[in-house]
Amino acid sequence: MTPTAGLGLKSQHYDDAVACDAAGLWFEVHPENYMSAGGPRLAALEAVRARHPLSLHGVGLSLAADANPDRQHLAALKALVDRFEPFVVSEHLAWSTHRGAHQPDLLPFPRSRAALVRIADNIGRTQDALARRVLIENPSLYLPLKGHDLDEVDFLKALVAATGCGLLVDVNNVFVSARNLGYSAEAYVDALPAEAIGEIHLAGHGLDEGGSGLLIDTHGAPVAEPVWALYRRLVRRVGPRPTLIERDDDIPAFQVLMAERDRAASELAALEAVGV
Amino acid sequence: MSELLDFQDAFVAALDGAPEGLSPWLGPDAGLAGLTVYRNTIAKGCVDALAANFPTVLSMVGEEWFRAAAALFAREAPPASAALQGYGEAFPAWLGRFPPAEALPYLAGVAHLDRLWTEALFAAEAPTLSAEALAGLAPQALAEGRLALHPSVRFAAFEAGLPSLWSAARAGETELDLPARAEALLCRRRDGVVAHRVIGEAETEFLRACRDGQPLAQAAERAALADPDVSVASLFAALIADGVFGGLNLETAR
């Protein structure tokens, strides 16, 4: 079965996920949540994996840190890759670990040429350790920084060229970052290299409750209509790609998420029909 | 030092409230609202993880108190790993030193028991030793055998009845009292579920002897010494029924 549209797997939906037999359905998890010696979470993931394709989407490798990826973390990730045989492994263009402390967020950095070399090296080390290609996701951004030698799309293209990695395009992150930092989301998605894109993310965002006017990538709401429009624009150009609905906060019933997932599946099916 | 590391040092300092060092990387009209977004996300990630790992502490002090305390702890002791189900090893001891918790002297102990429960949940898988596996053994061989604890077994002893208080809070009871007697708590995961029960000094001594690699005869002796009134045979049978043992090593040489 070819994975079409998938869902981020939440622990409250394990049984629903095992029972669901929608065509093309796949699931994605953060491997960090399964980095334990044993326990029921791993058993539940085995049950889901026995029925559906799985993607491992890392949030903790800190590829944009000025340090090699943590060896223990890589070993734990490799063990999960070997055990669950995911069809995709992905990580973020961001850092979270700094001098031994882990900040549970995906933090920004100046996209300098020196940073490019460092991050390409980290992606190369990761791919070597896992013995497979990884996809790199564009982050959501909140702070305008100086010191960029390359814009984000050119930086991602350079990483693809240097390491052979692929891209995970988070369309909601494109929308949020473009709005927060004041550039064109359409121009961004139009510039992405089609052949490198291996997966697409869709999620909901919200306006900062602190009153800053910033849009925040909350994963706490349905996908917004302008994000659907941006998604359609992207897939009509590049063709169908496995597409994930992410929801991590204010999580509704499984069927509610499946309805959003089915909408993504319909968008993909419509592409096939017109031969994109 | 690389510019990337310089930037990350400055960024982390800015998260901690000292944004001056970040100015080389900030545009003239860059507000710091974005920094607040990152700071809030990091704090929420840490606090949510602690709330998941210490649910009994949370239920006893309430959401507001817990989140404020957890946020302070997270700033002092950020996670060392991205696998946040292991976060908070130092939280029980930190609560014991946290001045606002002075009125709740049992809180550190409750956190300690939450921690044991969480450790049991995520411990390695292993077979469980059944009563049948022991049934055919000669008494002498059994007495000299060493019982290995299942990897998910956790236990801790207290001078007062914290385990009873914790168990009641865990069961959702709100009328909590702290029995004066010494107690211990035993946790063990079985079929994906962590079971726990309050145990006495004899069982605790028996488990300690097994943990220390002593033969069964010595474990029985320690249990009997701890509580002369206890039936060691029924105590042992109950622990087997709990699924506390992972295996039996019959080699007598150490």
Side-chain angles (χ1 to χ4, degrees):
Chain A
M1 186 193 69
T2 310
T4 57
L7 269 185
L9 180 63
K10 308 312 297 177
S11 57
Q12 51 271 64
H13 297 154
Y14 284 142
D15 292 343
D16 294 310
V18 170
C20 189
D21 59 0
L25 176 63
W26 55 282
F27 289 95
E28 183 167 283
V29 296
H30 298 319
E32 290 76 9
N33 292 340
Y34 296 85
M35 286 180 181
S36 56
R41 270 191 206 171
L42 281 162
L45 191 60
E46 292 243 304
V48 173
R49 177 66 188 91
R51 293 290 311 277
H52 303 284
L54 183 73
S55 153
L56 294 183
H57 179 52
V59 292
L61 208 45
S62 198
L63 293 172
D66 190 36
N68 295 346
D70 181 80
R71 215 178 283 174
Q72 264 183 304
H73 190 104
L74 265 183
L77 183 57
K78 176 76 164 78
L80 290 170
V81 167
D82 289 346
R83 179 169 174 182
F84 291 99
E85 300 179 340
F87 76 101
V88 170
V89 177
S90 56
E91 251 291 349
H92 293 83
L93 181 62
W95 59 285
S96 49
T97 301
H98 175 263
R99 299 189 186 275
H102 177 78
Q103 317 280 350
D105 197 4
L106 299 160
L107 301 172
F109 60 95
R111 291 181 303 268
S112 65
R113 298 210 174 267
L116 179 66
V117 170
R118 175 80 240 195
I119 296 166
D121 187 60
N122 284 346
I123 293 172
R125 285 170 192 274
T126 302
Q127 295 186 136
D128 289 349
L130 301 181
R132 63 182 291 162
R133 181 189 193 219
V134 299
L135 306 183
I136 300 299
E137 179 182 334
N138 57 300
S140 55
L141 298 171
Y142 305 97
L143 191 64
L145 293 179
K146 285 199 300 189
H148 297 306
D149 294 332
L150 295 94
D151 72 21
E152 194 169 273
V153 171
D154 286 340
F155 199 90
L156 290 167
K157 281 181 179 171
L159 289 175
V160 169
T163 68
C165 73
L167 299 181
L168 193 177
V169 178
D170 187 314
V171 176
N172 184 59
N173 286 355
V174 173
F175 183 84
V176 164
S177 300
R179 170 74 83 81
N180 288 341
L181 303 191
Y183 55 81
S184 162
E186 286 78 11
Y188 185 108
V189 300
D190 290 351
L192 287 164
E195 62 289 347
I197 301 172
E199 184 185 336
I200 299 174
H201 274 181
L202 296 171
H205 57 254
L207 197 58
D208 181 13
E209 289 173 5
S212 67
L214 291 167
L215 284 187
I216 301 187
D217 173 36
T218 54
H219 295 190
V223 179
E225 286 307 322
V227 173
W228 280 112
L230 206 54
Y231 170 64
R232 202 170 301 125
R233 182 183 181 105
L234 175 64
V235 291
R236 285 196 178 161
R237 180 173 70 83
V238 307
R241 293 291 189 277
T243 300
L244 185 86
I245 304 292
E246 288 185 294
R247 187 70 175 261
D248 295 309
D249 220 342
D250 201 10
I251 295 161
F254 184 74
Q255 293 314 322
V256 174
L257 291 180
M258 274 303 288
E260 263 197 305
R261 175 267 169 201
D262 290 346
R263 180 171 172 184
S266 305
E267 296 279 357
L268 293 171
L271 295 177
E272 305 278 4
V274 297
V276 176
Chain B
M1 242 175 33
S2 76
E3 199 212 350
L4 190 55
L5 189 58
D6 287 342
F7 169 80
Q8 285 160 350
D9 283 340
F11 195 92
V12 168
L15 290 172
D16 287 340
E20 304 78 22
L22 202 54
S23 54
W25 291 280
L26 293 178
D29 54 350
L32 290 176
L35 203 60
T36 306
V37 173
Y38 290 113
R39 189 183 292 128
N40 290 347
T41 305
I42 291 166
K44 182 178 187 307
C46 293
V47 170
D48 285 352
L50 291 167
N53 295 348
F54 297 94
T56 319
V57 176
L58 171 62
S59 75
M60 290 172 88
V61 299
E63 188 87 21
E64 196 181 341
W65 197 102
F66 184 90
R67 296 193 77 87
L72 285 173
F73 169 76
R75 289 185 63 172
E76 283 180 34
S81 153
L84 295 175
Q85 60 272 31
Y87 181 41
E89 190 173 10
F91 190 52
W94 183 88
L95 279 175
R97 298 188 303 270
F98 184 47
E102 263 170 31
L104 309 165
Y106 49 80
L107 208 56
V110 168
H112 181 58
L113 292 174
D114 274 347
R115 174 79 191 174
L116 293 189
W117 190 95
T118 306
E119 286 180 359
L121 185 67
F122 292 110
E125 306 289 341
T128 297
L129 188 72
S130 67
E132 292 74 41
L134 301 176
L137 292 173
Q140 184 62 25
L142 189 58
E144 290 174 2
R146 297 168 215 280
L147 288 156
L149 298 180
H150 187 274
S152 71
V153 167
R154 295 290 184 280
F155 58 94
F158 295 85
E159 285 172 7
L162 256 172
S164 286
L165 179 123
W166 178 89
S167 300
R170 196 91 182 177
E173 291 171 31
T174 48
E175 296 287 312
L176 300 173
D177 62 353
L178 185 64
R181 62 178 179 274
E183 285 181 349
L185 190 87
L186 169 63
C187 292
R188 191 272 193 234
R189 189 188 69 233
R190 193 162 204 187
D191 300 326
V193 178
V194 177
H196 59 84
R197 69 178 171 95
V198 176
I199 57 175
E201 285 177 62
E203 283 159 304
T204 307
E205 274 307 303
F206 193 97
L207 290 169
R208 281 181 182 142
C210 296
R211 188 187 58 195
D212 297 346
Q214 295 176 340
L216 181 54
Q218 209 168 336
E221 205 176 292
R222 281 175 69 168
L225 266 176
D227 183 356
D229 298 329
V230 85
S231 155
V232 176
S234 46
L235 172 158
F236 183 37
L239 289 174
I240 292 172
D242 283 333
V244 158
F245 304 111
L248 176 69
N249 180 2
L250 291 171
E251 289 171 32
T252 48
R254 295 218 66 171

